């Protein structure tokens, strides 16, 4: 069947561009030969209309508020599955059989320890360093230790590096937390599942036994599932671009962590909770709604709006449900921040500014309230996002490295600087 074509007329020139169809979602206009045929670049700062790659991993329909991991709706995975099962699905494309899952969980469990000498990295940081700074530095340093899984051309080494990243992120994240509060590190335990092990490493102390609350562990596991992958978001695109040069996976993940830290991206969960704290009470909401709508005020409602979702972020709905579960289990009634959050959402969703611009709560709007209730300080919120997103970064990196058509990413530009001019000696400059 002849492939669809798009016609482009540029002055006297008319060219035909192939149109590729996906399995679902928008078609793409292939501009690979545009520059060669027209000596023009396309121009799309922020990549609002640009597909950077083809991928089989995650699909988002922003208008419908749909999110699929390898075709499975996030609601079903969050409700019926667990995080390591979703990790297997994202990495290998299918839900694991019982035996495959058992083997995968075993391999992850036995990679959770980090090289003992890595502990020295932590002592080089100030105790009040932001844990994301510690994560960027420590994860990047993994490439100084695991020389046997840096050769990205070797499928076995790619697989080992992938498992190591997924397995070690909770250990490193828990160590960053313990270091920031001056408590001793707690080693991973092989008798605990992934989320329970993480909570144990964060909240256990040597002085007494720490029993992980299964309801909270289940909530933590579900929060990891919600954050696991999200198509070609800024940090995933960073990981892909870093990986396209052949950089090792640990360095690529460190680049992803750095990008995720920004308040417009993964840093929004920390910023959203700080915003709710700043608003403080329901009666102050109108003042902040007014500021969010004021073009001259840089203030934005953190946890609101999304580049792709022009409907409710499906993850936000599940997160809100999880918030109520966690607060209920902990016996926290009438959390003032939750009251402010729910009233802020109610007002914003009935305000024409937000309705017209299709601004809805995103995953970061409720996550902070839940994570704070679980016992994490706001500075740890984006660390938890990075922990969960590591599998998405790794799966997308693996897909990019294994794509035979892959080449180094190298965008061009619209140059608006000075035309060519000759050097002027300093004695001639006025
Ligand atoms: C994540 O990409 C992903 O998938 C990311 C993520 C993932 O899982 O990887 O989903 C995780 O990063 C979620 C988003 C978290 N960020 C925030 O909550 C920060 C607050 N939100 C905004 O900064 C903003 O909505 C973005 C960054 C999320 C999206 O920005 P866009 O797509 O570039 O949209 P825009 O900035 O052009 O905004 C469109 C309009 C603008 O008004 P106009 O200039 O058209 O008049 O909406 C306004 C904006 O001023 N607007 C907001 C707003 N977000 C957008 N106004 C008030 N409050 C907001 N939060």
């Amino acid at each position: 069947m002849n492939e669809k074509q798009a016609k482009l007329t540029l002055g006297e020139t008319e060219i035909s561009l192939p149109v590729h169809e996906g399995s679902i979602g928008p078609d793409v206009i292939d501009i690979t030969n545009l520059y060669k045929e027209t000596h023009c670049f396309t121009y799309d700062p922020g990549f609002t209309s640009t597909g950077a790659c083809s991928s089989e991993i995650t699909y988002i329909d922003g208008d419908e508020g749909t999110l699929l991991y390898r075709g499975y709706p996030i609601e079903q995975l969050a409700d019926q599955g667990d995080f390591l099962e979703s990790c297997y699905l994202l990495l290998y494309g299918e839900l694991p059989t019982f035996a495959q899952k058992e083997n995968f969980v075993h391999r992850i469990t036995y990679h959770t320890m980090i090289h003992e000498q890595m502990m020295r990295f932590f002592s080089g940081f100030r105790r009040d360093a932001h844990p994301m700074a510690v994560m960027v530095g420590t994860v990047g340093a993994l490439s100084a230790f695991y020389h046997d899984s840096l050769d990205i051309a070797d499928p076995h080494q790619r697989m080992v590096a992938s498992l190591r990243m997924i397995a070690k992120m909770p250990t490193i994240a828990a160590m960053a937390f313990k270091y920031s509060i001056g408590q001793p590190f707690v080693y991973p335990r092989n008798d605990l599942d992934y989320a329970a092990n993480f909570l144990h490493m964060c909240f256990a102390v040597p002085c007494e036994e720490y029993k992980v609350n299964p309801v909270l562990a289940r909530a933590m596991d579900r929060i990891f599932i919600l954050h696991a992958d999200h198509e070609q978001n800024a940090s995933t695109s960073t990981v892909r671009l870093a990986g396209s040069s052949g950089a090792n996976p640990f360095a690529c993940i460190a680049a992803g962590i750095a990008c995720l830290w920004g308040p417009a991206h993964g840093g929004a969960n920390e910023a959203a909770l700080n915003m709710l704290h700043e608003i403080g009470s329901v009666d102050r909401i109108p003042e902040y709604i007014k500021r969010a709508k004021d073009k001259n005020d840089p203030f934005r409602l953190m946890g609101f709006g999304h580049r792709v979702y022009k409907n409710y972020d499906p993850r936000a709905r599940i997160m809100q449900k999880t918030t109520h579960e966690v607060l209920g289990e902990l016996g926290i009634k009438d959390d003032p921040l939750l009251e402010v959050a729910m009233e802020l959402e109610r007002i914003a969703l009935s305000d024409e500014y937000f309705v017209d611009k299709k601004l809805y709560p995103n995953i970061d709007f409720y996550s902070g309230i839940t994570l704070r209730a679980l016992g994490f300080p706001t500075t740890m919120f984006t660390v938890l996002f990075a922990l969960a997103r590591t599998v998405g970064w790794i799966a997308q990196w693996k897909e990019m490295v294994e794509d035979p058509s892959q080449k180094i990413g190298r965008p061009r530009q619209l140059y608006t600087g000075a035309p060519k001019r000759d050097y002027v000696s300093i004695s001639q400059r006025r």
Side-chain angles (χ1 to χ4, degrees):
M1 181 183 71
N2 289 339
E3 192 168 46
K4 285 195 280 188
Q5 299 287 315
K7 299 284 183 207
L8 178 69
T9 304
L10 201 59
E12 298 302 308
T13 313
E14 178 176 288
I15 65 168
S16 190
L17 298 166
V19 176
H20 305 317
E21 290 183 4
S23 43
I24 44 178
D27 293 349
V28 296
I29 300 171
D30 185 335
I31 56 166
T32 309
N33 296 322
L34 180 75
Y35 179 64
K36 197 164 62 179
E37 295 192 32
T38 66
H39 211 61
C40 284
F41 300 133
T42 56
Y43 186 64
D44 184 15
F47 310 123
T48 53
S49 304
T50 295
C53 63
S54 67
S55 178
E56 300 176 354
I57 299 173
T58 294
Y59 177 72
I60 303 170
D61 182 325
D63 296 328
E64 294 299 315
T66 302
L67 170 57
L68 309 176
Y69 289 169
R70 299 284 189 174
Y72 294 98
I74 190 69
E75 294 85 353
Q76 295 178 25
L77 292 169
D79 189 35
Q80 301 171 51
D82 63 39
F83 179 63
L84 284 188
E85 180 180 74
S86 286
C87 288
Y88 187 97
L89 173 65
L90 289 167
L91 281 171
Y92 302 114
E94 297 297 335
L95 288 169
T97 62
F98 184 84
Q100 288 167 333
K101 183 174 176 192
E102 215 177 28
N103 174 269
F104 185 71
V105 169
H106 178 85
R107 287 186 294 164
I108 293 291
T109 302
Y110 283 83
H111 273 295
T112 49
M113 284 177 70
I114 65 170
H115 193 293
E116 193 72 3
Q117 207 165 309
M118 285 201 69
M119 295 207 182
R120 296 187 193 167
F121 280 108
F122 290 87
S123 55
F125 289 101
R126 288 171 46 140
R127 288 280 180 177
D128 61 353
H130 194 293
M132 282 297 277
V134 176
M135 294 301 288
V136 171
T138 309
V139 170
L142 287 172
S143 38
F145 285 84
Y146 295 109
H147 296 113
D148 61 340
S149 60
L150 296 180
D151 176 3
I152 64 168
D154 176 351
H156 175 71
Q157 292 195 38
R158 287 202 300 269
M159 183 271 291
V160 172
S162 305
L163 297 182
R164 276 177 165 152
M165 276 308 337
I166 294 165
K168 296 180 193 309
M169 281 297 270
T171 309
I172 295 170
M175 290 170 79
F177 173 50
K178 284 300 202 186
Y179 186 75
S180 73
I181 58 175
Q183 287 189 0
F185 298 139
V186 175
Y187 286 94
R189 279 188 24 192
N190 296 344
D191 62 323
L192 297 176
D193 69 32
Y194 194 85
N197 196 16
F198 175 63
L199 292 177
H200 185 265
M201 289 189 283
C202 287
F203 299 115
V205 288
C207 328
E208 59 188 20
E209 194 195 356
Y210 176 80
K211 291 289 286 169
V212 178
N213 178 322
V215 173
L216 302 187
R218 175 72 188 118
M220 188 83 262
D221 191 86
R222 188 186 304 140
I223 291 169
F224 290 159
I225 295 172
L226 296 179
H227 288 82
D229 193 48
H230 212 240
E231 201 215 64
Q232 305 310 319
N233 59 85
S235 53
T236 297
S237 300
T238 301
V239 171
R240 277 182 172 260
L241 196 56
S244 74
S245 75
N248 74 71
F250 304 111
C252 295
I253 298 301
I257 295 171
C259 177
L260 186 75
W261 195 357
H265 189 16
N269 53 16
E270 177 178 351
L273 198 85
N274 292 337
M275 175 191 72
L276 293 174
H277 268 302
E278 185 185 336
I279 295 173
S281 60
V282 168
D283 59 313
R284 284 162 49 93
I285 290 175
E287 170 198 338
Y288 283 85
I289 292 274
K290 185 163 173 283
R291 285 188 57 195
K293 292 154 65 171
D294 178 356
K295 282 282 156 258
N296 301 315
D297 188 331
F299 173 78
R300 285 193 162 179
L301 286 188
M302 301 315 283
F304 253 79
H306 198 277
R307 171 62 58 78
V308 177
Y309 289 123
K310 301 310 172 191
N311 197 326
Y312 215 99
D313 182 337
R315 303 168 298 174
R317 285 195 200 290
I318 303 167
M319 182 60 76
Q320 191 189 58
K321 190 177 123 226
T322 304
T323 303
H324 288 293
E325 268 176 34
V326 167
L327 296 183
E329 174 65 19
L330 293 170
I332 299 173
K333 302 218 183 321
D334 314 324
D335 179 325
L337 291 187
L338 179 61
E339 193 189 347
V340 170
M342 294 187 74
E343 181 60 6
L344 177 58
E345 175 187 347
R346 187 191 67 77
I347 296 173
L349 293 187
S350 56
D351 181 295
E352 65 175 2
Y353 173 92
F354 295 91
V355 173
D356 291 350
K357 293 180 187 300
K358 299 185 176 179
L359 301 173
Y360 292 85
N362 59 53
I363 189 167
D364 294 313
F365 189 63
Y366 285 103
S367 58
I369 296 170
T370 317
L371 298 176
R372 186 184 69 131
L374 287 171
F376 294 103
T378 48
T379 51
M380 276 295 291
F381 292 177
T382 310
V383 171
L384 300 181
F385 195 148
L387 187 170
R389 184 54 58 87
T390 294
V391 62
W393 288 331
I394 280 285
Q396 300 269 353
W397 168 81
K398 182 173 171 288
E399 183 178 65
M400 183 266 307
V401 170
E402 292 170 358
D403 176 353
S405 66
Q406 182 268 329
K407 53 178 70 170
I408 190 167
R410 204 288 187 206
R412 300 304 301 274
Q413 64 179 9
L414 173 69
Y415 178 69
T416 56
K420 185 177 172 187
R421 51 185 172 166
D422 293 328
Y423 183 82
V424 178
S425 69
I426 193 161
S427 61
Q428 305 296 316
R429 292 175 212 157
R430 296 285 170 265

